[in-house]
Amino acid sequence: MRAFFAVAGFVLQFGAGVGIAAADDWPTVPDGPLHWQLQGDIDIGSNIRVNDSDLFETTADQVREWREAGIFPICYINVGAVEDWNDDYAQFPKDVIGNPYWGWEGENWLDISRFEQFAHIMEARFDLCWEKGFLGVEPDNIDAYEADGSNKKTGFDLTRSDQLRYVGWLIEQAHARGLAIGQKNAAELVPDLVGRMDFALLESSFRFGFMDAFLPYTKVKKPVFAVEYIEEGADLDRFCSDARKYGFQGVVAHLELDQKPENCP
């Protein structure tokens, strides 16, 4: 089975291998059901149009199979914190590694105000995403400056300007490789990013009441994937009703993202 998407006046053929996008062009993310799973065996339902999986854990063969089935593959990359189980952990300079990321053992914030110190590592990750055949990037933890405004400090006193400068660079890196890229949370940054990002992925937006902030994405016909967590008491009926009202693709998942999620009907 082959699927095709028209992008910027030409056709992208799924299964055609990497390097499919011309310079300064990247594919449009489908506005359809999302499968988001970062651990474990991934079993994708027949209705899924977008799949988001871990950059390091996912093989190029898996990506190829998804593309041949007409599924748009997105790679998860942690851009704002570093995890000690990844192979490239030792490459990060010690002085850009900050406080532990609350609730996740082995993960620490990065000093994004000095991202030039680890830019080559992120570039290598984006290269790997492209080489494996992914079509988009989910950049995690682009809200570090918000942590420094709370009681869960990064250790670097980061500012909104620091965050926007780094995210702008990430957008450039993705688009230069022909990859779409999305906004992950960070609701206050929507006015600055909606014109440059290609989709949005939200966590617990129904629970914490910030779905409204991402309506600008739907107004410009960019998909919004809203995820609620079972462990946080997700109410499928109430949440899915609101997701449909906002025009978002609703997903209910486990916090560890290690099991098959459930999509709103």
Side-chain angles (χ1 to χ4, degrees):
M1 176 180 179
R2 292 185 181 274
F4 299 83
F5 279 85
V7 179
F10 63 96
V11 172
L12 300 182
Q13 179 177 336
F14 285 5
V18 299
I20 57 170
D24 300 322
D25 285 305
W26 48 92
T28 299
V29 182
D31 190 357
L34 168 75
H35 185 112
W36 190 32
Q37 185 178 342
L38 304 183
Q39 304 181 69
D41 295 331
I42 298 176
D43 178 21
I44 297 178
S46 59
N47 66 319
I48 296 299
R49 294 193 64 200
V50 182
N51 182 67
D52 187 341
S53 62
D54 185 78
L55 169 66
F56 296 112
E57 297 295 326
T58 308
T59 68
D61 286 342
Q62 286 176 303
V63 177
R64 187 178 305 110
E65 289 176 7
W66 295 331
R67 287 177 57 172
E68 288 175 349
I71 296 167
F72 190 102
I74 293 173
C75 70
Y76 166 93
I77 301 177
N78 193 339
V79 299
V82 62
E83 299 141 328
D84 63 10
W85 57 85
N86 285 331
D87 291 343
D88 59 8
Y89 174 77
Q91 298 177 34
F92 287 88
K94 299 301 183 187
D95 62 350
V96 301
I97 299 177
N99 293 336
Y101 191 108
W102 183 83
W104 298 93
E105 186 176 353
E107 184 173 354
N108 292 72
W109 288 106
L110 285 168
D111 185 359
I112 57 131
S113 70
R114 294 186 294 149
F115 72 83
E116 292 87 355
Q117 300 296 314
F118 55 85
H120 62 291
I121 305 173
M122 292 301 166
E123 289 172 348
R125 290 183 175 186
F126 277 55
D127 286 343
L128 183 60
C129 182
W130 178 82
E131 289 163 4
K132 285 188 173 183
F134 285 99
L135 296 174
V137 178
E138 178 217 328
D140 196 17
N141 296 319
I142 62 168
D143 53 0
Y145 83 101
E146 291 182 355
D148 276 337
S150 72
N151 62 352
K152 301 179 178 70
K153 307 292 186 182
T154 66
F156 301 113
D157 196 22
L158 302 172
T159 67
R160 191 176 190 276
S161 295
D162 293 330
Q163 195 72 68
L164 284 172
R165 187 172 74 91
Y166 181 43
V167 173
W169 178 81
L170 293 169
I171 294 169
E172 292 172 355
Q173 295 303 309
H175 286 169
R177 291 164 174 78
L179 297 168
I181 185 169
Q183 179 174 347
K184 177 79 170 287
N185 300 319
E188 291 183 359
L189 300 184
V190 169
D192 299 276
L193 299 180
V194 65
R196 302 184 66 191
M197 290 288 198
D198 306 300
F199 67 96
L201 195 157
L202 322 180
E203 294 175 291
S204 307
S205 59
F206 175 77
R207 180 187 178 208
F208 291 116
F210 63 90
M211 296 177 81
D212 286 359
F214 284 84
L215 281 173
Y217 275 87
T218 60
K219 289 180 179 177
V220 294
K221 305 201 180 303
K222 294 180 180 181
V224 177
F225 305 102
V227 181
E228 296 292 313
Y229 291 113
I230 293 170
E231 293 84 352
E232 294 178 347
D235 183 322
L236 190 64
D237 291 335
R238 291 180 57 216
F239 162 59
C240 288
S241 176
D242 268 27
R244 286 190 295 271
K245 180 179 70 176
Y246 284 101
F248 296 173
Q249 296 293 331
V251 181
V252 175
H254 289 269
L255 271 171
E256 296 285 342
L257 296 171
D258 58 353
Q259 300 177 48
K260 189 173 183 177
E262 183 175 356
N263 296 87
C264 290

